[in-house]
Amino acid sequence: MRVNQQRLRSDIESNAEFGAVPTDEGRGRTVLTGSEADRRAREFFCERLRDAGLSITIDEVGNIVGRWEPESADPDAAPVATGSHLDSVPEGGIFDGPLGVYAALESVRAMQDAGVEPVRPVEVVNFTEEEGQRFGGGLIGSAVAVGELGVAEALDIEDADGIPLGDALADIGYRGDGRVDAADWDAWIELHIEQSERLEDAAVPAGVVTSIVGLSRCAVEITGEADHAGSTLMDDRSDALAAASEFVLDVERATNERGEVSETAVGTVGKLEVSPNAPNVIAGKVDLTVDVRDVAYDSIEYVIDEAEASLDRIEAERPVETALSHPWDRKPVEMSERCRAALHDAGADADLETLDLHSGAGHDTMHVAAVTDAALLFAPSRDGISHNPREWTDWTDCADATRVLAGALADLATE
């Protein structure tokens, strides 16, 4: 099979025009779910699916599925599915998500051009609201597809302006019928940019993910007392920000300690809201988040336990009150040996080296793996940059990774 690099590039560059944002360097886009840019991106994708002879279904939460069902395929056989997402973060890059969607379509076209006769249908998927920038915490379309989130519950999720997801999808004409059921798939493979530098450093064109890290996210409140920065003596202060600073360093220390056991353990305090956030007022309250990830779940538990112990110590030593909630906890997800073997074999057949590595980000695959055999394939990211207009994957690398994807899909679809 031959992948048409120019055709793949044209699709991705055309998609980059939807929600394009001005930038001094690179190419940026903002495509929020239910926006005009989202509508245009979806319409273009559906046009390309039809051009390739695929039938299209759209479910109630806006997941789009293009189905290739040639005469050789048993229409009742469980399909092999592939794809990713078209939404973006604000001022994101042009590859995160769209590479996986259009590499999936290009894989089907490559199989068609090569005369591959699959015994199973092949489905190309665009999941709704992977990034979670407008509705919920992300991965909504795949959560519904695996039954983790109900359709009605998903449609009721509101954005910051109180607009429900269902209304936003209806407004752009992409609230369909029924529900995509990922459990009906024989297998799933997602191609995504790596968003790290391991493939680039190793000069390897494709990475086969062994496992996706577990992820726990905590919300922490530290409450002190706002007071005058000039007239309140240091011994009389109940400074929430000073207490929060100790906590941040404790999270870093605990994660570094765990890193001696598991080098993939990471912990991040990435969001702080300081109140009243004035230069001449002692901080009265700080709300912050803790994000902990690793391929070993006991590492996550260790860091969270240490975070809770840190808050207990801070309360005992400082005149502040603390609270920690734990709304999001996902265990590590192992990828399918069958699908991983298909990717490695496809790389060997194409004379392209493949490298085993873990994923530090979630992606829709972490949901799909709960209900069927699933794999995640990475293409190199220049300097590891992502969620940024400078995000870049060379077009040759895009095509090479797509060749690996296409070969694996052909293998799985002809089993």
Side-chain angles (χ1 to χ4, degrees):
M1 288 185 295
R2 292 187 178 182
V3 164
N4 187 323
Q5 179 176 318
Q6 184 55 45
R7 184 168 56 188
L8 176 63
R9 175 176 178 173
S10 176
D11 284 342
I12 294 172
E13 289 191 320
S14 295
N15 181 79
E17 295 301 314
F18 310 128
V21 296
T23 178
D24 293 333
E25 187 176 359
R27 296 185 67 177
R29 67 187 186 107
T30 299
V31 181
L32 303 184
T33 299
S35 65
E36 175 62 16
D38 185 32
R39 182 191 65 78
R40 295 178 64 200
R42 288 167 177 268
E43 287 188 350
F44 179 74
F45 175 53
C46 289
E47 288 174 7
R48 301 304 282 152
L49 291 173
R50 294 187 189 97
D51 289 345
L54 280 66
S55 60
I56 298 171
T57 58
I58 302 167
D59 77 1
E60 201 165 354
V61 298
N63 292 324
I64 300 172
V65 178
R67 182 179 174 96
W68 180 42
E69 188 182 299
E71 291 183 1
S72 61
D74 178 357
D76 296 323
V80 173
T82 179
S84 193
H85 63 96
L86 292 175
D87 63 309
S88 80
V89 299
E91 299 185 12
I94 70 171
F95 296 96
D96 178 358
L99 172 60
V101 171
Y102 283 105
L105 175 57
E106 179 57 29
S107 294
V108 169
R109 294 184 299 214
M111 285 188 276
Q112 293 171 336
D113 293 344
V116 174
E117 296 185 348
V119 296
R120 300 179 179 278
V122 178
E123 295 188 341
V124 176
V125 181
N126 168 50
F127 281 124
T128 290
E129 188 60 295
E130 193 269 357
E131 296 288 4
Q133 295 298 307
R134 183 178 177 189
F135 297 97
L139 306 176
I140 287 179
S142 56
V144 171
V146 303
E148 182 175 314
L149 181 66
V151 171
E153 184 181 357
L155 293 174
D156 285 341
I157 296 173
E158 296 181 349
D159 68 5
D161 296 320
I163 299 172
L165 172 63
D167 290 356
L169 290 171
D171 286 346
I172 64 170
Y174 280 89
R175 178 174 172 177
D177 299 307
R179 178 181 76 91
V180 170
D181 189 348
D184 290 340
W185 297 335
D186 175 71
W188 160 268
I189 301 179
E190 178 178 9
L191 172 58
H192 204 279
I193 57 171
E194 184 192 358
Q195 301 172 300
S196 185
E197 300 174 85
R198 294 165 296 177
L199 292 175
E200 184 179 50
D201 289 345
V204 174
V208 179
V209 172
T210 55
S211 60
I212 299 174
V213 295
L215 188 162
S216 281
R217 190 166 293 160
C218 301
V220 174
E221 294 181 1
I222 301 177
T223 305
E225 184 175 0
D227 217 331
H228 196 287
S231 59
T232 308
L233 298 177
M234 298 303 290
D235 288 344
D236 295 334
R237 297 184 177 209
S238 178
D239 190 331
L241 183 56
S245 300
E246 284 194 33
F247 176 74
V248 172
L249 292 175
D250 282 347
V251 170
E252 182 185 53
R253 174 193 52 77
T255 309
N256 284 332
E257 288 175 355
R258 192 61 194 181
E260 297 176 3
V261 178
S262 176
E263 64 180 11
T264 55
V266 292
T268 305
V269 176
K271 181 180 180 181
L272 293 94
E273 295 180 358
V274 181
S275 176
N277 200 31
N280 60 345
V281 182
I282 298 163
K285 185 180 180 183
V286 176
D287 293 290
L288 58 87
T289 61
V290 180
D291 182 298
V292 186
R293 309 183 188 207
D294 196 20
V295 295
Y297 189 66
D298 57 356
S299 296
I300 297 172
E301 292 178 309
Y302 175 83
V303 176
I304 299 299
D305 287 346
E306 289 294 297
E308 292 175 337
S310 171
L311 293 176
D312 290 341
R313 178 188 62 77
I314 289 170
E315 273 200 359
E317 296 178 355
R318 289 179 173 271
V320 296
E321 296 180 355
T322 69
L324 181 147
S325 60
H326 198 178
W328 196 359
D329 185 57
R330 298 186 182 280
K331 293 186 176 181
V333 179
E334 297 295 320
M335 297 293 94
S336 158
E337 290 288 344
R338 176 171 74 105
C339 295
R340 288 179 56 217
L343 289 167
H344 281 302
D345 289 346
D349 289 343
D351 198 26
L352 295 169
E353 185 179 358
T354 52
L355 177 70
D356 281 334
L357 72 180
H358 81 284
S359 173
H363 309 297
D364 291 306
T365 296
M366 72 185 299
H367 277 150
V368 179
V371 296
T372 192
D373 287 348
L376 183 59
L377 178 68
F378 281 158
S381 294
R382 182 182 295 173
D383 297 327
I385 296 170
S386 184
H387 287 187
N388 183 308
R390 292 190 296 118
E391 169 184 286
W392 191 258
T393 296
D394 288 339
W395 296 114
T396 298
D397 288 333
C398 290
D400 284 344
T402 303
R403 288 170 63 195
V404 175
L405 175 67
L409 293 171
D411 182 22
L412 294 169
T414 55
E415 283 184 345

